[in-house]
Amino acid sequence: MKVRNKHHVFALSLFISLALILGACAPASQPETLTETPNEVVFVDEMGDLLADLYERVNPAVVNIQVAQSVSLGGQIPEDHPDLPDFPELPDDQFQFGQGSGFVWDAQGHIVTNYHVVDQAERVNVTFSDGLTLEAEIIGTDPDSDLAVIRVEPLPENIEPLDLAQSRDLRVGESVIAIGNPFGLEGTMTTGIVSALGRSLPSQARTADGSRFNIPNIIQTDAAINPGNSGGPLLDYTGRVIGVNTAIESPVRQFSGVGYAVPSDIIAKIVPALIEDGRYPHPWLGLAGRTLTPGIREAMDLEPTQTGILVISVAEDGPSDKSGLTGSDEEVRIDGFPTLVGGDIIVAIDGQEIREFDDLLSYLVENTVVGQDITLTVLRDGETLELEATLGERPTTNL
């Protein structure tokens, strides 16, 4: 800090002296308390106590999930092969095992985890923090959001389900906590911050043509997340769930400072449907598109600052096709690559501005349901049009 003149020096020295005499606390943004002894003034950091208390309160509702999947061995060892010795008869199937994390959703024993944790599982066991292991039933799965619900019955006593926070209120830089079972190490707590918001992540489901939809509004965090954390909660400092830890960005499948969590606003919408119906029907508009780039704007003679989504194609007889939305039919070369242009440009949905493709996906996932009527504002040949569409159900095929 620069001091401009001697008056500032005197004022600063006086302030420091008064602080030492009066035992002034640190700024309110630092959670510290003051403890006095006859001989000294000691500052005690409360953060450790806060985290320890939160862990003791939340950890009983975080579970370790073990799954068993059948793996066929048939045909791997040829019968009566002249160059192989005699082997004892082998079973046609054996089990491979995996694990993940989850958290208690309600008093009826429902537990939230990732779809990829329990996918194709023939047996699911849940271990609680006190060591009790119970067999669980798969209640519902949703590969499009990578969420699943399992259930144990009865739920052990004295376990309080976790509450949800609204992920839409998160800000980059907020402190977060992850609790789970990395590498099978039960009840592990890690801390970090929200590193970024609004990321997208490929889902666990494919369309008929093999492509994938994205999960929007993914939370990025630097809290240490490793294999085994999948399905566990990402928490704020009050112990409320803000996301389900889902994936890491790492070339070696180990923590490298980038973890991803499905946001709680999506969880709040999908989990009740999985409990009630076992599945969640995702709204579908039936189009392929891309965010406008400088090259596309130039090729279509658009304003340099024009934003929106260029419609590349629409699914035959899908909601977009029925609304009158048109795809691109002209091929140009942009940066040396063939690119389709000339289609409608979506600039808003239900009056909400669309700047990039993830904006459209986020709106559909968080604000609409199958069968809902929506209004698309599109730019076509320099004119602004409004088209009405009725959302269908997303057609996907599980991996």
Side-chain angles (χ1 to χ4, degrees):
M1 180 179 69
K2 293 183 179 180
V3 179
R4 297 184 182 275
N5 54 50
K6 62 182 181 180
H7 300 294
H8 285 97
V9 173
F10 173 75
L12 182 61
S13 300
L14 179 60
F15 174 78
I16 294 174
S17 300
L18 287 173
L20 292 174
I21 293 171
L22 298 175
C25 299
S29 60
Q30 301 179 16
E32 297 178 331
T33 56
L34 179 66
T35 302
E36 287 194 46
T37 67
N39 298 318
E40 61 184 348
V41 176
V42 181
F43 292 92
V44 180
D45 189 352
E46 286 186 338
M47 184 58 67
D49 288 339
L50 183 153
L51 292 175
D53 291 344
L54 186 149
Y55 180 83
E56 290 178 358
R57 175 167 54 87
V58 171
N59 187 55
V62 180
V63 300
N64 187 354
I65 299 174
Q66 307 95 37
V67 299
Q69 299 172 333
S70 178
V71 179
S72 175
L73 296 178
Q76 290 191 8
I77 299 180
E79 296 181 2
D80 302 324
H81 193 287
D83 298 327
L84 292 176
D86 292 334
F87 284 94
E89 184 176 350
L90 295 176
D92 290 333
D93 299 286
Q94 73 172 11
F95 286 97
Q96 68 177 13
F97 300 92
Q99 65 179 347
S101 304
F103 66 90
V104 177
W105 174 265
D106 59 24
Q108 287 70 51
H110 293 109
I111 293 170
V112 175
T113 186
N114 279 141
Y115 167 81
H116 75 260
V117 170
V118 298
D119 179 30
Q120 299 181 17
E122 296 188 22
R123 186 169 68 247
V124 180
N125 288 337
V126 170
T127 300
F128 293 86
S129 61
D130 63 358
L132 175 66
T133 298
L134 298 175
E135 188 168 355
E137 174 189 7
I138 298 176
I139 299 298
T141 60
D142 182 49
D144 293 84
S145 63
D146 199 15
L147 293 174
V149 175
I150 60 178
R151 186 185 181 191
V152 296
E153 189 178 9
L155 181 70
E157 295 182 358
N158 302 321
I159 293 182
E160 294 292 332
L162 300 185
D163 295 325
L164 293 186
Q166 289 188 331
S167 54
R168 73 193 68 173
D169 296 332
L170 288 175
R171 296 185 301 165
V172 173
E174 289 190 32
S175 298
V176 294
I177 298 163
I179 301 180
N181 309 285
F183 306 113
L185 302 172
E186 297 182 10
T188 297
M189 169 190 276
T190 56
T191 63
I193 63 169
V194 175
S195 303
L197 295 167
R199 301 299 194 205
S200 59
L201 198 66
S203 74
Q204 294 290 314
R206 294 189 186 275
T207 62
D209 63 3
S211 60
R212 295 195 193 192
F213 289 96
N214 284 339
I215 308 171
N217 293 337
I218 290 291
I219 302 166
Q220 180 183 323
T221 179
D222 68 348
I225 295 173
N226 284 290
N229 274 113
S230 291
L234 187 68
L235 307 156
D236 64 17
Y237 266 42
T238 68
R240 297 177 303 170
V241 177
I242 60 173
V244 169
N245 299 315
T246 297
I248 58 175
E249 189 79 34
S250 173
V252 292
R253 294 191 72 248
Q254 296 182 20
F255 174 67
S256 60
V258 180
Y260 299 118
V262 177
S264 58
D265 288 350
I266 291 180
I267 299 168
K269 190 169 186 178
I270 290 176
V271 166
L274 297 184
I275 294 173
E276 183 70 22
D277 302 318
R279 62 185 298 272
Y280 180 82
H282 286 262
W284 178 64
L285 195 50
L287 64 84
R290 59 180 302 180
T291 303
L292 292 179
T293 64
I296 292 175
R297 295 188 191 101
E298 182 178 357
M300 295 183 63
D301 198 25
L302 301 172
E303 293 293 330
T305 57
Q306 179 65 54
T307 59
I309 301 170
L310 171 63
V311 178
I312 302 299
S313 63
V314 295
E316 185 177 358
D317 292 329
S320 292
D321 189 19
K322 294 177 181 178
S323 75
L325 204 65
T326 61
S328 299
D329 56 4
E330 178 185 355
E331 184 176 294
V332 298
R333 297 192 72 83
I334 298 177
D335 297 329
F337 295 95
T339 304
L340 287 173
V341 297
D344 288 338
I345 298 169
I346 301 175
V347 296
I349 178 171
D350 289 339
Q352 181 169 311
E353 182 183 14
I354 299 297
R355 300 183 63 86
E356 55 186 14
F357 195 86
D358 280 352
D359 292 340
L360 177 63
L361 181 58
S362 296
Y363 185 87
L364 292 175
V365 169
E366 295 192 349
N367 299 284
T368 67
V369 295
V370 173
Q372 181 174 327
D373 293 329
I374 54 100
T375 301
L376 296 173
T377 305
V378 303
L379 187 64
R380 178 187 295 172
D381 298 327
E383 296 185 7
T384 301
L385 307 174
E386 289 195 346
L387 304 177
E388 304 295 325
T390 301
L391 297 174
E393 181 177 345
R394 181 187 293 181
T396 57
T397 303
N398 291 5
L399 290 172

